[in-house]
Amino acid sequence: MTSIGGAEMVDWNLAVATATRFVRPGPEVSRDDARAVVAELRRHAKASEEHVRGFTRMGTDDIHDTPVLVVDRPGWIRANVAGFREILKPLLDKMQERRTTSPGGAVLGAVGGKVTGVELGMLLSFLASRVLGQYETFAPATRDLPAGGPPGSPSGGGRLLLVAPNIVHVERELDVQPHDFRLWVCLHEETHRTQFSAVPWLRDHLEGEIQSFLEETDVDPMTVLERIREAAQSLSGSRPDAEEDDGGRSFVELVQTPAQREILGRLTAVMSLLEGHADFVMDGVGPAVVPSVAEIREKFQQRRAKGASRLDMALRKLLGLDAKLRQYRDGERFVRAVVEQVGMDGFNRVWTSPNTLPTKTEIAKPADWIARVHRKAES
């Protein structure tokens, strides 16, 4: 725990307890059926390796270093709290140093860790019933949740999570063929596993960008509180100039500095690429191995677009999850356009180095990326 005088900056145990307590129960499934779902997801994950590698031409011998774990909602929560602790440690250590001399340090020291733990727990309880699968890039190994990477690696080498109750819930909600839907989900998540296994520098590049983003965070506790207060006022409309200044941005965007927005632009481009590539692969492989892929895709897109309820849509906006939906759409269009112009091998130049990753502008204008990467290489 990151703590001073017994007061933690984030009470991680409370975050897990809060999320586990408030997460919705999963769908009703008998014990035998649950075991069958887990076994089938493991088979599909294994089969997806060959499908994805053959379609993307991204061969790698390191893929088995990243385990595939089929988890329930509490398992997903525990895994993500462990990931948050790992990636946020430098920022929390920095804030810890500042708290001892900050005028607001005593206040945050008394209640901040508990409050933050509860808030994080509530956020995770919302997300835990919605995530179907996730490749955890920064995954420290725990007793219950192994991760890949060299023995003794502090941050692990990643792991793939498949959230069984959520997959069952969505396949029932959409009324699609369960066998096909489970394989379809595995194809998407396996693509992420392949991306990071086949591109050794990608993880370090992303971690560097995230740490740069966090280093730009206002670490003075009172400054953080002031920025959050202004953001809350903007979202509630109590600031007269909120609409003009904020342009309907999410809470996540409102607490950023200008430097962070620049970094976020680069991160958004990378995440759009990764998510769009996964969608492109999922649809490209799908027709050959998932007979009902067209029906699944249509119903799933409708579900993505409308959200489950008015509250769900409000929370998506508040947390910036609408931006993630745009990443899927814009990234898939970028990948499709590039592959149509220069083929799969030509597209795979994107994985050469950080310099060949598309910018946020190039995601929207694939021809600009082709001109920069291909014509420059050919000249």
Side-chain angles (χ1 to χ4, degrees):
M1 294 291 183
T2 303
S3 60
I4 181 169
E8 302 161 1
M9 291 295 295
V10 179
D11 190 330
W12 300 107
N13 290 335
L14 182 57
V16 172
T18 301
T20 303
R21 177 182 177 184
F22 287 99
V23 70
R24 295 176 181 177
E28 292 187 8
V29 180
S30 70
R31 181 170 297 183
D32 288 343
D33 286 345
R35 288 173 178 166
V37 170
V38 170
E40 184 172 24
L41 286 173
R42 287 175 176 160
R43 290 196 302 271
H44 284 333
K46 179 64 177 177
S48 294
E49 292 180 19
E50 182 177 351
H51 295 316
V52 171
R53 292 174 67 173
F55 184 81
T56 63
R57 303 179 190 173
M58 296 174 67
T60 173
D61 295 328
D62 298 328
I63 198 164
H64 298 291
D65 290 340
T66 55
V68 178
L69 307 178
V70 182
V71 298
D72 57 10
R73 291 171 179 175
W76 181 88
I77 289 168
R78 290 193 297 272
N80 276 266
V81 167
F84 275 127
R85 290 185 67 173
E86 183 68 29
I87 199 67
L88 293 178
K89 187 177 185 303
L91 172 63
L92 295 181
D93 288 346
K94 190 176 179 182
M95 292 184 71
Q96 190 72 37
E97 294 173 2
R98 292 287 294 274
R99 193 168 71 176
T100 58
T101 57
S102 168
V107 175
L108 289 187
V111 299
K114 298 294 183 184
V115 170
T116 306
V118 170
E119 290 175 342
L120 177 59
M122 294 304 294
L123 170 62
L124 290 173
S125 72
F126 167 74
L127 295 174
S129 62
R130 287 157 174 77
V131 176
L132 302 182
Q134 174 186 5
Y135 182 80
E136 277 201 292
T137 314
F138 312 103
T142 66
R143 182 179 60 183
D144 300 325
L145 296 164
S153 173
S155 57
R159 60 184 167 226
L160 179 59
L161 306 179
L162 297 170
V163 191
N166 295 352
I167 294 173
V168 171
H169 171 77
V170 173
E171 69 191 26
R172 290 178 178 178
E173 178 185 308
L174 298 182
D175 190 24
V176 293
Q177 212 286 330
H179 173 86
D180 287 2
F181 184 75
R182 294 166 193 175
L183 177 55
W184 190 72
V185 170
C186 287
L187 289 170
H188 181 100
E189 302 307 332
E190 180 60 36
T191 302
H192 289 316
R193 186 168 174 240
T194 298
Q195 289 163 347
F196 284 92
S197 298
V199 186
W201 53 264
L202 185 57
R203 180 189 183 279
D204 289 341
H205 173 71
L206 267 181
E207 183 174 19
E209 291 281 59
I210 292 171
Q211 292 305 329
S212 295
F213 182 90
L214 295 177
E215 286 171 5
E216 291 292 332
T217 299
D218 293 324
V219 294
D220 177 76
M222 294 308 293
T223 302
V224 172
L225 288 176
E226 179 65 18
R227 292 182 67 81
I228 292 175
R229 184 184 67 83
E230 292 177 357
Q233 289 177 347
S234 297
L235 286 169
S236 66
S238 58
R239 276 179 57 195
D241 60 346
E243 184 175 351
E244 179 180 350
D245 287 349
D246 300 326
R249 294 197 302 266
S250 70
F251 178 82
V252 175
E253 293 171 308
L254 288 169
V255 297
Q256 292 162 11
T257 66
Q260 284 177 313
R261 291 191 186 109
E262 182 178 342
I263 298 169
L264 186 66
R266 297 195 298 268
L267 280 170
T268 298
V270 176
M271 298 311 297
S272 295
L273 170 70
L274 298 179
E275 297 293 359
H277 184 234
D279 265 13
F280 178 77
V281 172
M282 181 170 60
D283 289 345
V285 173
V289 297
V290 182
S292 60
V293 64
E295 177 191 1
I296 291 172
R297 183 58 153 160
E298 180 181 359
K299 290 183 175 180
F300 195 76
Q301 287 288 66
Q302 292 174 355
R303 182 180 185 273
R304 268 184 182 172
K306 69 181 182 180
S309 66
R310 181 169 295 183
L311 174 62
D312 186 61
M313 294 174 69
L315 286 170
R316 284 180 185 276
K317 178 63 179 175
L318 178 65
L319 299 172
L321 297 181
D322 283 343
K324 185 172 178 63
L325 299 183
R326 290 194 297 272
Q327 287 174 8
Y328 285 104
R329 183 182 64 246
D330 297 345
E332 196 274 340
R333 288 174 179 169
F334 170 84
V335 176
R336 185 173 301 280
V338 172
V339 172
E340 287 177 354
Q341 291 294 315
V342 297
M344 186 64 74
D345 290 335
F347 165 79
N348 281 341
R349 288 192 188 181
V350 78
W351 312 117
T352 304
S353 75
N355 292 330
T356 57
L357 291 172
T359 65
K360 190 175 180 180
T361 300
E362 289 170 341
I363 287 287
K365 298 180 178 180
D368 290 356
W369 180 86
I370 293 172
R372 177 172 68 86
V373 174
H374 281 264
R375 293 174 188 171
K376 182 178 179 181
E378 292 166 2
S379 61

